[in-house]
């Protein structure tokens, strides 16, 4: 597939629907599970490609072939081996309440999944008499510092904090975000909504805040004074 020139890319949008297959020059490598964004510049820096065995790798956005692709897939201008040589970003650990993964000098913590692991009661510890404790199994990604990671199902809220939907995908021109595609939380039969980036107030890991436009009252509408 031909890579668009920068001028063409600025005029033509590329859909990035989460869950789509990802294909390299020599075959399929996995699925598009997450997108890593520079929240200040509103640009996609990386996509996260998950292999069938669950390994997740960061692929620079410049390797994405731009423009609509056939077969509802995301195409990369590299080989399968090029992707497999990249380090995996997904980690798994057991953590107590005070030991959740933290950002460090080299990376930030991206999306997380937490599962409670049953602890032991005093009866199970014999004469030690220790209090019941709980730990957590945490699966998390490591992403570049200052980035935000969004996945399918990341929450979308209004500026008032009301939940309005979930992230389903994106549209980009080059690497620049033009729309965030949201799926309705409650099944309505309606197609996903493509929200222009100008209406996105904030982008954080696993969360998008949308400034919903105000709907003007119809001309001549009657306003009732409750007093």
């Amino acid at each position: 597939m031909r890579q668009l020139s920068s001028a063409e890319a600025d005029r033509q949008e590329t859909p990035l629907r989460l869950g789509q297959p990802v294909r390299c020059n020599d075959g399929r490598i996995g699925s598009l599970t997450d997108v890593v964004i520079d929240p200040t510049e509103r640009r996609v820096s990386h996509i996260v490609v998950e292999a069938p065995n669950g390994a997740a790798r960061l692929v620079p956005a410049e390797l994405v072939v731009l423009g609509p692709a056939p077969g509802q897939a995301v195409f990369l201008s590299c080989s399968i081996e090029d992707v497999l040589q990249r380090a995996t970003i997904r980690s798994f650990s057991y953590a107590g309440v005070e030991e959740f993964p933290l950002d460090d000098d080299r990376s930030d913590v991206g999306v997380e999944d937490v599962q409670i692991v049953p602890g032991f009661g005093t009866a199970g510890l014999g004469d030690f008499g220790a209090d019941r404790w709980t730990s957590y199994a945490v699966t998390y990604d490591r992403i570049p510092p200052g980035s935000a990671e969004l996945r399918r199902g990341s929450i979308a809220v209004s500026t008032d904090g009301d939940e309005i939907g979930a992230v389903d995908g994106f549209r980009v021109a080059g690497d620049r975000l033009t729309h965030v595609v949201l799926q309705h939380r409650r099944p309505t039969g309606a197609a996903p909504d493509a929200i222009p980036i100008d209406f996105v107030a904030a982008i954080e890991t696993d969360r998008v805040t949308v400034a919903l436009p105000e709907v003007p009252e119809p001309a001549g509408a009657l306003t009732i004074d409750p007093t």
Side-chain angles (χ1 to χ4, degrees), residues 15-200:
L16 294 175
R17 185 172 183 182
L18 298 170
Q20 284 183 319
V22 177
R23 300 187 65 85
C24 296
N25 296 333
D26 50 351
R28 179 172 175 172
I29 180 61
S31 300
L32 173 64
T33 57
D34 311 311
V35 167
V36 177
I37 294 168
D38 180 330
T40 302
E41 298 292 333
R42 306 296 181 90
R43 293 182 180 275
V44 175
S45 63
H46 299 80
I47 66 171
V48 178
V49 178
E50 184 173 312
N53 65 0
R57 294 175 171 87
L58 278 181
V59 176
E62 57 261 30
L63 293 179
V64 176
V65 177
L66 303 177
Q72 298 299 309
V74 176
F75 284 81
L76 301 178
S77 58
C78 64
S79 68
I80 292 175
E81 185 60 28
D82 291 334
V83 176
L84 294 179
Q85 288 178 353
R86 298 182 178 277
T88 59
I89 63 168
R90 192 150 295 162
S91 301
F92 177 86
S93 66
Y94 289 101
V97 175
E98 304 296 334
E99 300 171 345
F100 275 89
L102 299 173
D103 299 344
D104 57 34
D105 294 337
R106 296 178 299 173
S107 64
D108 288 354
V109 175
V111 295
E112 300 176 74
D113 287 305
V114 180
Q115 182 178 1
I116 296 176
V117 178
F120 300 96
T122 54
L125 295 176
D127 297 331
F128 289 100
D131 292 332
R132 180 182 295 273
W133 58 272
T134 303
S135 62
Y136 300 83
V138 185
T139 302
Y140 61 97
D141 290 353
R142 285 286 182 184
I143 59 175
S147 299
E149 184 178 13
L150 295 171
R151 56 182 166 180
R152 194 174 199 174
S154 290
I155 187 173
V157 299
S158 69
T159 50
D160 295 328
D162 297 325
E163 186 174 344
I164 60 175
V167 174
D168 189 66
F170 308 88
R171 295 180 189 172
V172 296
D175 62 355
R176 179 174 52 85
L177 274 175
T178 63
H179 295 79
V180 177
V181 181
L182 301 183
Q183 187 64 261
H184 299 279
R185 272 297 188 190
R186 298 181 181 85
T188 62
D193 292 323
I195 307 298
I197 196 63
D198 289 344
F199 290 120
V200 176

Side-chain angles (χ1 to χ4, degrees), residues 4 8-15 66-68 171-174 178-179:
L4 298 179
E8 290 174 315
D10 285 339
R11 294 193 301 268
Q12 187 170 14
E13 290 183 342
T14 303
L66 303 177
R171 295 180 189 172
V172 296
T178 63
H179 295 79

